[in-house]
Amino acid sequence: MISDSRLEAIRAEFPILGRELYGRPMTYLDNTATSQTPRRVVDAVVSGYTQTKANVHRGVHTLSQEATGLQEEARRRVAAWIGAESHEEVIFTRGTTEAINLVASSFGGMVLGEGDELILTVMEHHANIVPWQLLQARKGFSIKVVPIDAEGRLDLGAYRSLFSERTRMVSFCHASNVLGTVNPVREMIAEAHRRCVPVLVDGAQAAPHLRIDVRELDADFYAFSAHKMYGPSGIGVLYGKRALLEKMPPYQGGGEMIEHVSFSGTTFAELPFKFEAGTPDFVGIPAIVPAIEFMEEIGLDAIAGHEHALLEHTTERLLAEVPGIRLFGTAPGKCAIISFLIGDHHPYDVGMLLDKLGVEVRTGHHCAQPLMEHLGIEGTVRASFAVYNTIEEADRFVDAVKRVAMILG
Ligand code: PMP
């Protein structure tokens, strides 16, 4: 675990962690939905508004060049951070959702047709289901779904057997936002590549916790959101292999993404701008850099180790001390996400009572209704840890769950 003094210094960077709710210290355990933001990221946004605000890529004036420099520096830093070969393979989007929509619409539109097949898994977030269904309605391909076992691990035998000569694309999450399961991404990609099938990885839940190396994984596309990794909201990243991105048609049309426009025909800009129509979030994008620096300073291994210790401690206590607790997702090596129910009590009741005790958790289907259907439940209560969480907070959470279990009877 991270030492107490180090943790204190880390927490001091997050003003929001000092809040109280209902006269108690706030215990924020909804990090899977969004993590909190260190002051250095907030400072970068403030500086973007107070010092360098100018639209990018369009101006000869100093301010515009400074803003453009900051944005393009952020692209380079993101590329280096995920191990991309070139910064031109990094496309800024609004989030994971937009990144997946981009790939589904542009690449999927190219490779998936009548009679073809796409492989997804039952643990996908709606963001990695619905964009494909929208395309399916236009193109008429079928979607095959990889099931999970009782611990929440993908059935890799079933995965292999779902491939056919009509499989054109595979898309799955690196880590599940409900079960916490970390999928064997490298092996799964290799399996698809043996059949020359490209793969998109939804990295929304992996990027905040695991070191990502897109080239080592050999991912064709990799998507994630900055707001879940201590960064600004409203910004995401799509990594794509250059050879694929170059073949793909633009996703949206507008300014920034063109080379030349005329009514007799338009030519498009080079990568990555071909996929970045309109004014980007040029204030937010540079603020990804301090978020990456924050994680690098602590170290991804230290972050994962700390969160894992909190997960183990909390899981052990919940199982030992809360009668009727039901955990969903117990795969070895999972992320620090605990999805649970207390007996048959509705997750909203549990979540609302926990909130009154100052504990912020998420309740409901977590945008994974097919997974809920598979588990035979409507929803869960979900507590998830970030690097700034402490053992005291984990204990406060377990004590609060015990109290809620007693109240609900
Ligand atoms: N995929 C997964 C696994 C997620 O957890 C989330 C966010 N809950 C998303 C995709 C969508 O991310 P965003 O809302 O930031 O686009």
Side-chain angles (χ1 to χ4, degrees):
M1 282 198 86
I2 293 171
S3 72
D4 286 353
S5 58
R6 182 83 179 93
L7 205 51
E8 208 174 304
I10 290 171
R11 287 178 69 84
E13 283 208 49
F14 293 80
I16 202 169
L17 297 179
R19 272 198 70 174
E20 292 198 343
L21 295 172
Y22 307 105
R24 297 166 194 272
M26 178 182 78
T27 303
Y28 183 78
L29 297 180
D30 193 15
N31 295 289
T32 296
T34 196
S35 59
Q36 297 299 346
T37 314
R39 199 182 284 282
R40 62 177 96 182
V41 171
V42 179
D43 287 348
V45 172
V46 170
S47 165
Y49 279 113
T50 57
Q51 302 299 318
T52 53
K53 188 174 178 204
N55 210 332
V56 287
H57 295 305
R58 282 185 203 137
V60 291
H61 63 79
T62 303
L63 216 53
S64 174
Q65 286 180 9
E66 281 179 13
T68 305
L70 287 170
Q71 175 170 298
E72 294 313 313
E73 172 60 15
R75 199 186 305 276
R76 285 186 165 77
R77 292 295 293 271
V78 170
W81 191 59
I82 60 171
E85 199 171 314
S86 155
H87 64 279
E88 290 164 359
E89 296 175 317
V90 170
I91 293 153
F92 288 120
T93 64
R94 280 192 303 119
T96 308
T97 303
E98 190 179 48
I100 298 175
N101 273 276
L102 190 166
V103 176
S105 170
S106 170
F107 187 73
M110 249 172 41
V111 300
L112 283 156
E114 184 85 39
D116 289 335
E117 291 165 4
L118 162 76
I119 297 179
L120 302 177
T121 86
V122 74
M123 66 170 74
E124 296 314 310
H125 186 281
H126 296 164
N128 196 22
I129 300 174
V130 184
W132 301 107
Q133 289 177 326
L134 294 175
L135 183 68
Q136 186 184 31
R138 289 197 279 123
K139 297 282 188 166
F141 54 89
S142 59
I143 298 178
K144 296 191 165 180
V145 182
V146 186
I148 52 171
D149 67 14
E151 289 185 298
R153 275 182 298 198
L154 286 177
D155 178 342
L156 294 178
Y159 172 62
R160 269 178 230 113
S161 68
L162 286 180
F163 282 90
S164 80
E165 73 285 354
R166 297 308 301 263
T167 309
R168 297 285 176 265
M169 179 91 203
V170 176
S171 188
F172 52 78
C173 59
H174 196 155
S176 158
N177 68 316
V178 177
L179 307 164
T181 312
V182 178
N183 292 319
V185 174
R186 191 138 68 108
E187 293 73 17
M188 290 173 73
I189 291 174
E191 194 69 45
H193 284 177
R194 263 197 285 285
R195 297 161 168 93
C196 299
V197 176
V199 179
L200 180 151
V201 180
D202 169 357
Q205 293 305 337
H209 313 286
L210 306 172
R211 175 152 295 289
I212 309 299
D213 187 328
V214 289
R215 267 188 292 171
E216 197 187 308
L217 294 175
D218 202 18
D220 299 289
F221 301 101
Y222 196 99
F224 57 97
S225 301
H227 70 95
K228 293 184 197 285
M229 39 165 274
Y230 312 102
S233 66
I235 295 155
V237 169
L238 172 67
Y239 158 81
K241 282 184 183 163
R242 177 194 283 277
L244 299 178
L245 292 174
E246 274 175 349
K247 278 194 219 133
M248 289 158 54
Y251 167 54
Q252 292 180 331
E256 303 270 354
M257 52 75 71
I258 53 88
E259 183 188 55
H260 181 78
V261 178
S262 85
F263 283 109
S264 58
T266 288
T267 52
F268 305 120
E270 295 289 309
L271 291 176
F273 308 113
K274 181 170 87 170
F275 293 107
E276 292 181 355
T279 299
D281 185 349
F282 53 76
V283 171
I285 288 169
I288 293 178
V289 175
I292 291 174
E293 285 171 354
F294 169 76
M295 288 195 289
E296 276 178 342
E297 267 173 37
I298 303 170
L300 264 297
D301 288 345
I303 293 175
H306 179 76
E307 293 170 349
H308 192 70
L310 293 172
L311 173 72
E312 297 246 292
H313 174 80
T314 310
T315 306
E316 261 170 42
R317 275 203 65 197
L318 285 175
L319 287 172
E321 299 175 39
V322 185
I325 190 117
R326 298 154 67 196
L327 299 184
F328 299 90
T330 51
K334 64 178 275 190
C335 288
I337 294 174
I338 303 177
S339 273
F340 68 99
L341 288 174
I342 306 174
D344 290 325
H345 293 300
H346 199 284
Y348 289 159
D349 294 339
V350 177
M352 269 157 53
L353 289 169
L354 285 175
D355 174 56
K356 297 292 177 289
L357 297 168
V359 178
E360 307 300 280
V361 293
R362 187 135 302 236
T363 51
H365 56 62
H366 314 298
C367 298
Q369 281 180 329
L371 175 61
M372 295 300 135
E373 200 181 313
H374 176 88
L375 296 169
I377 54 178
E378 263 179 56
T380 72
V381 185
R382 182 185 70 189
S384 49
F385 295 103
V387 67
Y388 42 65
N389 287 123
T390 63
I391 214 84
E392 289 74 28
E393 287 181 312
D395 283 335
R396 232 183 274 146
F397 162 66
V398 178
D399 293 341
V401 172
K402 283 167 71 176
R403 188 136 168 232
V404 169
M406 246 166 51
I407 295 169
L408 291 173

